[in-house]
Amino acid sequence: MILPMKKVSIVLLNKEREASLKKLRKLGLVHLETLNGSGEKLAAFKEISNNSLISESILSEIKLSKSQKKQDVKELKDDEIVSLTKEIVVQAERKKQLLDVITADVNELDRFAGWGNVSLEDFEYLKERGIQLKMYEIPSSKYSSIDESIDTLLVNTGKKVNRFLIINGGEGRPEKLLPDAFEVSFPKESTSVIENEVRQAEREIVRIEEFFAKKAVYLQQIKDYKKRLLTDIEFENVNSGMAHENENEQTDLAWISGFVPEEDLETLKSACRENEWALAYSEPEDEDLSVPTKLKNNKFVSIIYPLTDFLGTVPGYHEYDISGWFLLFFSIFFGMIFGDGGYGLILTAAFILIMFKNLITRKKNPPLLSLGIILGISTIIWGTVTCTWFGIPAQQLPDFLKNISVKPLSNAYTDELTGFTTDQNLQIFCFTIALLQLSIAHIKGMIANKKSLKFFGEFGSLLQLIGMYYIVLNLVVSSEHFALNKVINNIPIGYVELGFIAVGFVLSFIFANYEGSVLKSVLASVKGIIPVILGVVNVFSDIVSYIRLWAVGLAGAAISATVNTMAGPILGHAILFAIGIILLVFGHGLNMVLNLLSVLVHGVRLNTLEFSSHLGMSWSGIKYSPFAEKGNE
């Protein structure tokens, strides 16, 4: 469930602001509204944090030597870490400058590679004695065509280019010089000087890299300090960002606003009385988008939190907590997409072994392990239902695996059961899951609006969903079995389903936008008539979208079977047996990785898009993150 929040404002003496904030942080209950602090202290903290981040990035790339790993590392004080990170950043900037210098110098040397050693001093010496030289290059075939009036000196001949000097040709370009010749500007320094500059830069870079290698032993201390610094930055941001009066008077006030869970309000009241803070609180307004969301569920449902935290999906404060439904349907989707009971056994066994190892080493088992076991068991169940084990053809599996499978969905039975093929039954199963999950969304909407006429809008959406389910079966599975004119026990099933769509559309059109006035609701639907009509189409597409569970699972099964086909002949030869095993492990391992990616793309999507859109959820929530000391949240 989403815990109810109270909006609170705390007023305190400005002169006690810093001490009071430390007490409030220790309390760890108030989720503060966004503050934008400023000041020299905060800027200094941010600069140090940035230096720490850069230092961590640089030192992380260095592999410690065996001697460094064994040596006792000096415990640095905070100010020593600050100085070290600053020096690392300075050296990193210097290295960047040196690399830029080397790049520019190498390009310059490449420009004169065909000229040999170019000495600016020699050119200047000759110019002082009345001999002015300019450097030119020209295609080899054109050199002989240079006008004889131009005094030239050939330096060297290449396959494509001749290099030559023009002697006393004047300040500008000689008028009779061929357009194919172009002047080579002098280098910034003599090439020997540039070469020396490159060597010096390279030596300095080596020295800098040795400095980094020597300081790499302090990487963990820098990481730990950076984490501590985040707390200081947060505190100073709040301290400098609080609203307050004139700081020069002892009686001036400062105040801060935020949110606290309703169940913790009494604790906050007690702290305010104890510290002589003034407290005001109220219910959050419906249009307030800054209200944080704090979820509270039982231990079983809470094991889905690692996944939602990884995805960054937080329901809005005024939305639904679907953690339980998310866990249920995600487990089903996971099992269907992985689709192989053998894969499920591997996953379950791996997570159980990790849990036992943690118990032996007395480490706390994270919720992710419990989630992994549930997903593994779900995969085993689906593999059992469909008789799918490591991609082995069902005919080659033991009889007991065939017997415990569910015949309409099992690969072990190719004959038509219930009038449909196995693939058709699987498709019907996917669409039925769609109907079930999306119906839950509208039933929740009906419950939430049971005291409003909007209830009928949700009921209309539910009727459209039921009717569209039959249309999907007609168009995708079988137009014969699900004909629109089908009659069962004198009941025209097809027309009844069409009637559901029509009645549902009318109800949704009238009541979907109800906010106290039926007329305004109808006018809102008229204004948005195109989205309203497209909404019916979206119901169809949302149901069809669930066929991805069958299609992706089928693709994974095909890859698994292909791996077995490739490895089978190799396993029959004793010499190549090891290669066959490697191929099986690699092939099935790769298939499991691809299945995992498919789950993240498709299994998550069906919960966060199709299901959530029918709930009217936008996942626009802000996770409850109280102003607290590290480890106190």
Side-chain angles (χ1 to χ4, degrees):
M1 61 176 291
I2 296 177
L3 293 182
M5 289 281 174
K6 292 289 187 181
K7 187 169 185 177
V8 297
S9 294
I10 300 172
V11 183
L12 44 88
L13 288 175
N14 193 27
K15 65 179 182 179
E16 300 175 353
R17 181 173 61 187
E18 189 166 332
S20 297
L21 283 178
K22 289 180 179 179
K23 294 176 181 178
L24 187 64
R25 182 175 67 176
K26 188 174 182 179
L27 188 64
L29 292 178
V30 183
H31 176 106
L32 300 178
E33 292 185 323
T34 302
L35 294 171
N36 295 310
S38 59
E40 293 182 2
K41 190 174 181 180
L42 180 60
F45 276 145
K46 289 183 177 180
E47 182 182 357
I48 295 170
S49 177
N50 185 58
N51 289 346
S52 300
L53 180 63
I54 295 173
S55 299
E56 179 184 340
S57 176
I58 292 171
L59 299 186
S60 296
E61 297 178 357
I62 298 173
K63 186 177 181 181
L64 296 178
S65 63
K66 292 182 179 179
S67 60
Q68 285 179 309
K69 291 179 180 179
K70 293 179 180 179
Q71 75 179 66
D72 293 330
V73 181
K74 174 188 174 183
E75 193 68 30
L76 299 178
K77 298 178 181 178
D78 286 355
D79 59 338
E80 291 177 315
I81 295 177
V82 171
S83 299
L84 174 59
T85 55
K86 185 176 181 180
E87 179 61 21
I88 290 173
V89 171
V90 169
Q91 293 296 331
E93 286 295 324
R94 177 57 181 162
K95 180 180 177 180
K96 183 178 181 297
Q97 292 172 1
L98 292 170
L99 289 173
D100 291 341
V101 168
I102 290 174
T103 299
D105 285 351
V106 169
N107 290 336
E108 189 76 343
L109 291 173
D110 287 343
R111 193 162 67 93
F112 293 95
W115 287 89
N117 184 29
V118 178
S119 173
L120 296 183
E121 292 79 5
D122 291 345
F123 279 96
E124 189 63 30
Y125 176 82
L126 292 172
K127 185 176 181 181
E128 290 175 355
R129 283 155 180 74
I131 303 174
Q132 183 187 38
L133 300 177
K134 289 186 178 180
M135 306 165 66
Y136 279 87
E137 292 181 355
I138 193 171
S140 300
S141 59
K142 300 287 186 176
Y143 181 74
S144 59
S145 302
I146 296 177
D147 193 279
E148 294 181 356
S149 63
I150 299 174
D151 193 4
T152 64
L153 176 64
L154 182 64
V155 175
N156 61 47
T157 301
K159 292 182 179 180
K160 296 182 179 179
V161 176
N162 282 6
R163 297 172 183 85
F164 65 96
L165 300 171
I166 292 182
I167 304 171
N168 295 329
E171 291 300 324
R173 180 187 180 91
E175 293 182 3
K176 296 182 179 180
L177 184 62
L178 294 174
D180 301 278
F182 66 93
E183 184 177 359
V184 178
S185 58
F186 289 122
K188 63 174 185 176
E189 299 282 354
S190 298
T191 54
S192 59
V193 174
I194 296 176
E195 289 171 352
N196 186 55
E197 189 177 69
V198 170
R199 286 192 293 268
Q200 288 181 349
E202 289 174 342
R203 284 195 294 268
E204 190 171 353
I205 287 175
V206 170
R207 181 193 61 76
I208 292 173
E209 290 176 343
E210 289 174 349
F211 169 78
F212 290 157
K214 183 179 179 182
K215 301 303 180 183
V217 294
Y218 299 111
L219 173 60
Q220 189 57 49
Q221 292 188 45
I222 292 174
K223 287 181 178 179
D224 295 339
Y225 175 71
K226 189 186 71 173
K227 291 179 181 178
R228 297 196 301 271
L229 194 60
L230 291 176
T231 302
D232 293 335
I233 291 174
E234 181 189 29
F235 182 87
E236 187 56 33
N237 182 64
V238 175
N239 184 35
S240 60
M242 281 183 68
H244 56 84
E245 296 175 337
N246 189 348
E247 294 184 14
N248 295 324
E249 298 182 17
Q250 294 292 310
T251 58
D252 286 341
L253 302 176
W255 55 92
I256 195 168
S257 298
F259 300 89
V260 66
E262 190 175 272
E263 63 182 16
D264 296 321
L265 183 60
E266 289 302 320
T267 304
L268 179 62
K269 285 182 179 179
S270 177
C272 289
R273 284 193 296 268
E274 181 181 339
N275 294 285
E276 298 182 340
W277 302 333
L279 173 68
Y281 58 90
S282 61
E283 295 291 335
E285 298 179 0
D286 291 343
E287 62 272 14
D288 193 343
L289 300 179
S290 63
V291 186
T293 301
K294 183 179 182 180
L295 302 178
K296 185 176 182 180
N297 289 289
N298 58 52
K299 290 184 178 179
F300 179 75
V301 173
S302 298
I303 64 177
I304 196 63
Y305 290 168
L307 176 62
T308 53
D309 289 343
F310 170 75
L311 297 171
T313 51
V314 181
Y317 178 71
H318 300 289
E319 294 181 342
Y320 299 99
D321 175 19
I322 61 169
S323 300
W325 296 114
F326 198 117
L327 175 61
L328 172 63
F329 286 104
F330 182 77
S331 300
I332 295 172
F333 301 156
F334 188 99
M336 293 178 67
I337 290 175
F338 260 74
D340 194 300
Y343 290 175
L345 287 173
I346 293 174
L347 291 174
T348 306
F351 285 115
I352 290 176
L353 286 174
I354 295 174
M355 290 187 73
F356 274 117
K357 180 181 178 182
N358 288 341
L359 288 174
I360 294 172
T361 57
R362 296 184 179 180
K363 291 182 180 179
K364 185 178 180 181
N365 282 311
L368 182 62
L369 293 179
S370 300
L371 177 61
I373 291 175
I374 290 177
L375 298 178
I377 293 173
S378 175
T379 306
I380 294 173
I381 293 173
W382 185 252
T384 302
V385 168
T386 59
C387 198
T388 306
W389 300 90
F390 295 110
I392 300 172
Q395 295 73 21
Q396 298 178 17
L397 292 171
D399 289 339
F400 82 92
L401 290 177
K402 300 177 187 177
N403 294 335
I404 62 175
S405 65
V406 178
K407 291 184 178 181
L409 303 176
S410 175
N411 295 313
Y413 302 94
T414 57
D415 295 335
E416 289 193 11
L417 299 167
T418 65
F420 300 102
T421 64
T422 301
D423 284 344
Q424 287 177 319
N425 284 325
L426 288 169
Q427 291 170 7
I428 293 172
F429 185 81
C430 291
F431 296 141
T432 302
I433 288 179
L435 176 64
L436 175 62
Q437 186 177 27
L438 300 183
S439 294
I440 289 171
H442 292 294
I443 290 172
K444 287 178 72 69
M446 291 165 63
I447 294 173
N449 294 282
K450 60 185 177 182
K451 295 182 179 181
S452 168
L453 291 179
K454 202 169 184 178
F455 171 93
F456 294 103
E458 290 288 349
F459 180 64
S461 297
L462 179 62
L463 290 180
Q464 291 183 65
L465 187 65
I466 296 171
M468 199 60 72
Y469 168 74
Y470 190 85
I471 300 300
V472 170
L473 296 180
N474 171 274
L475 295 176
V476 180
V477 179
S478 173
S479 59
E480 179 182 351
H481 288 83
F482 300 101
L484 297 180
N485 59 356
K486 192 174 184 66
V487 177
I488 299 179
N489 295 329
N490 295 322
I491 299 176
I493 298 297
Y495 294 123
V496 170
E497 300 291 343
L498 290 175
F500 281 170
I501 296 175
V503 173
F505 177 80
V506 172
L507 289 174
S508 295
F509 188 87
I510 297 173
F511 298 107
N513 300 300
Y514 180 79
E515 294 294 343
S517 170
V518 174
L519 179 59
K520 290 181 179 179
S521 178
V522 172
L523 289 176
S525 295
V526 171
K527 290 179 182 177
I529 187 63
I530 295 179
V532 169
I533 294 174
L534 290 177
V536 181
V537 179
N538 287 338
V539 174
F540 175 85
S541 63
D542 287 345
I543 296 174
V544 172
S545 183
Y546 281 71
I547 202 172
R548 69 183 67 232
L549 298 171
W550 167 72
V552 176
L554 188 65
I559 294 175
S560 182
T562 301
V563 171
N564 291 342
T565 302
M566 293 172 61
I570 300 177
L571 292 173
H573 297 77
I575 299 177
L576 302 176
F577 184 80
I579 298 176
I581 294 297
I582 293 173
L583 179 59
L584 283 175
V585 172
F586 175 78
H588 285 290
L590 178 62
N591 193 26
M592 291 179 70
V593 172
L594 293 175
N595 285 339
L596 181 61
L597 295 175
S598 296
V599 168
L600 292 176
V601 173
H602 302 291
V604 169
R605 172 203 163 101
L606 293 175
N607 277 301
T608 57
L609 187 60
E610 276 80 2
F611 181 46
S612 298
S613 65
H614 283 257
L615 281 166
M617 291 181 61
S618 59
W619 296 101
S620 58
I622 302 169
K623 187 176 181 180
Y624 171 70
S625 180
F627 181 55
E629 293 179 342
K630 185 179 178 183
N632 195 35
E633 294 183 28

